[in-house]
């Protein structure tokens, strides 16, 4: 079966970035001049996804507005002959029906947010993308995963090795040794203490899941933090079907943390010919003063 739909859980409050996120969704925080959510959506569309499903909450109207027409702005850009900018913002607007929005009315965890999309997804495999994890790669990471899914036809999670002291921040795998970037999962644990973690191989914010996961999430069983965890649901899914981990090609920036967010801005800014030289000059001067 093909992966045609992608779920974007965007109902979180973004408390790590207060006060910036008091009135603005954390997914709209810009890396250089593009919001995080746009990077993730572009990754999905470039991977062949044809239906984007946002699971939103209160105060997320800015996300809907970002992917819609802004007639006054478009007319102003047209009148000022700013054709490149006009093209860029009009390309953000999808064909009607491509983007679908549903609400998560209670903050009950990532597993619950995914469950909220069950009726839109239906009985087919689907992707989940967390915009906090900004993936920089030549080939979109989700496209890499979809290509592997086509042969595996089983749930697939994106993984990387993390600092062993940081396992309490991730879903952690107990898995076979990797072969050609694929590892078969033996078990999953949500946010284990370092002493209890089966490895330091962590799930990061890209998933391809089979629809059977919804039957497990339907039970609304809570785990770490009193929330409905997708990692726990996948651990139960292992009883009936295999799950694989995929070691992606590229670089990940954890934009759910302030340090990771600043690193992403630096990396993407240094890729820009209009910013690189001045930024490098500033960084060298700052490092000389600090050193």
């Amino acid at each position: 079966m093909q992966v045609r739909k992608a779920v974007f859980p965007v109902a979180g409050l973004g408390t790590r970035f207060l006060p910036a996120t008091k009135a603005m969704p954390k997914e709209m925080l810009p890396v250089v001049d593009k919001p995080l959510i746009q990077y993730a959506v572009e990754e999905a569309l470039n991977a062949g996804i044809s239906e984007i499903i946002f699971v939103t909450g209160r105060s997320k109207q800015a996300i809907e507005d970002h992917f819609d027409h802004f007639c006054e702005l478009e007319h102003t850009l047209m009148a000022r002959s700013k054709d490149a900018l006009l093209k860029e913002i009009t390309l953000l607007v999808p064909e009607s029906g491509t983007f679908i929005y549903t609400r998560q009315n209670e903050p009950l965890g990532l597993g619950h947010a995914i469950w909220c999309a069950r009726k839109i997804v239906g009985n087919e495999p689907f992707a989940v993308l967390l915009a906090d994890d900004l993936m920089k790669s030549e080939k979109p990471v989700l496209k890499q995963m979809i290509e592997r899914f086509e042969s595996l036809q089983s749930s697939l999670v994106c993984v990387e090795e993390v600092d062993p002291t940081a396992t309490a921040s991730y879903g952690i795998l107990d898995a076979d040794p990797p072969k050609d970037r694929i590892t078969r999962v033996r078990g999953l644990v949500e946010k284990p203490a370092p002493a209890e973690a089966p490895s330091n191989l962590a799930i990061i914010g890209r998933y391809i899941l089979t629809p059977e996961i919804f039957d497990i999430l339907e039970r609304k069983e809570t785990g770490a933090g009193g929330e409905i965890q997708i990692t726990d649901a996948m651990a139960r899914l292992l009883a009936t079907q295999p799950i694989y981990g995929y070691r992606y090609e590229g670089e990940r920036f954890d934009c759910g943390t302030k340090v990771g967010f600043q690193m992403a801005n630096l990396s993407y800014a240094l890729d820009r010919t209009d910013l690189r030289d001045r930024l490098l000059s500033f960084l060298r001067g700052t490092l000389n003063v600090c050193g």
Side-chain angles (χ1 to χ4, degrees):
M1 295 181 70
Q2 282 189 315
V3 180
R4 303 182 305 113
K5 300 178 181 181
V7 175
F8 289 77
V10 293
L13 296 176
T15 54
R16 289 181 183 177
F17 283 86
L18 287 170
T21 51
K22 181 176 181 291
M24 177 176 69
K26 64 175 180 177
E27 295 83 9
M28 291 301 295
L29 291 171
V31 172
V32 186
D33 54 8
K34 187 188 297 186
L36 282 169
I37 190 63
Q38 186 176 335
Y39 286 99
V41 166
E42 289 175 350
E43 178 186 336
L45 295 176
N46 290 333
I49 294 295
S50 58
E51 196 167 305
I52 303 292
I53 304 163
F54 291 104
V55 181
T56 70
R58 293 188 63 211
S59 304
K60 298 291 181 170
Q61 185 66 40
I63 295 175
E64 297 185 36
D65 290 343
H66 184 70
F67 293 105
D68 200 354
H69 285 292
F70 184 174
C71 295
E72 183 180 358
L73 175 61
E74 291 170 18
H75 291 159
T76 299
L77 292 174
M78 188 182 301
R80 296 177 181 177
S81 299
K82 295 189 178 292
D83 298 332
L85 280 175
L86 177 62
K87 181 179 180 181
E88 187 171 351
I89 66 165
T90 53
L91 284 174
L92 292 173
V93 183
E95 181 181 350
S96 294
T98 303
F99 286 16
I100 300 169
Y101 300 86
T102 188
R103 280 286 188 106
Q104 181 186 23
N105 294 322
E106 299 177 86
L108 299 180
L110 176 58
H112 181 259
I114 293 169
W115 175 82
C116 290
R118 67 200 182 283
K119 293 186 178 180
I120 305 170
V121 171
N123 190 33
E124 59 183 277
F126 63 101
V128 177
L129 294 90
L130 307 184
D132 283 356
D133 280 331
L134 177 54
M135 310 299 286
K136 188 177 184 183
S137 59
E138 289 190 16
K139 179 188 289 186
V141 169
L142 185 61
K143 185 174 180 63
Q144 297 174 35
M145 295 177 69
I146 288 175
E147 289 174 354
R148 297 305 182 100
F149 177 83
E150 288 172 355
S151 59
L152 294 170
Q153 291 294 304
S154 289
S155 293
L156 187 66
V157 294
C158 198
V159 298
E160 71 175 22
E161 292 185 351
V162 298
D163 187 322
T165 64
T167 57
S169 298
Y170 296 91
I172 299 294
L173 301 187
D174 177 11
D176 292 339
K179 183 178 180 181
D180 190 25
R181 295 189 175 272
I182 292 290
T183 181
R184 183 157 180 169
V185 177
R186 295 191 296 259
L188 307 93
V189 185
E190 179 66 16
K191 297 181 170 64
E196 300 170 359
S199 73
N200 67 329
L201 192 59
I203 302 170
I204 59 173
R206 300 293 183 273
Y207 306 71
I208 295 177
L209 300 171
T210 55
E212 290 79 9
I213 197 72
F214 291 125
D215 293 331
I216 299 172
L217 292 171
E218 184 80 34
R219 304 172 193 170
K220 299 184 180 179
E221 297 172 351
T222 58
E227 296 183 334
I228 300 169
Q229 301 288 355
I230 189 62
T231 305
D232 296 339
M234 288 190 294
R236 295 181 180 89
L237 187 62
L238 269 176
T240 58
Q241 60 180 249
I243 296 176
Y244 295 90
Y246 173 67
R247 297 180 184 234
Y248 66 96
E249 295 182 67
E251 185 175 9
R252 165 196 172 238
F253 296 97
D254 182 2
C255 292
T257 68
K258 293 176 184 177
V259 170
F261 180 70
Q262 299 305 328
M263 291 170 65
N265 269 281
L266 282 172
S267 179
Y268 278 79
L270 288 170
D271 287 341
R272 292 268 297 261
T273 56
D274 58 328
L275 303 175
R276 179 181 173 84
D277 290 344
R278 290 183 63 188
L279 187 55
L280 280 175
S281 177
F282 169 77
L283 290 171
R284 291 189 187 106
T286 300
L287 291 173
N288 285 337
V289 170
C290 294

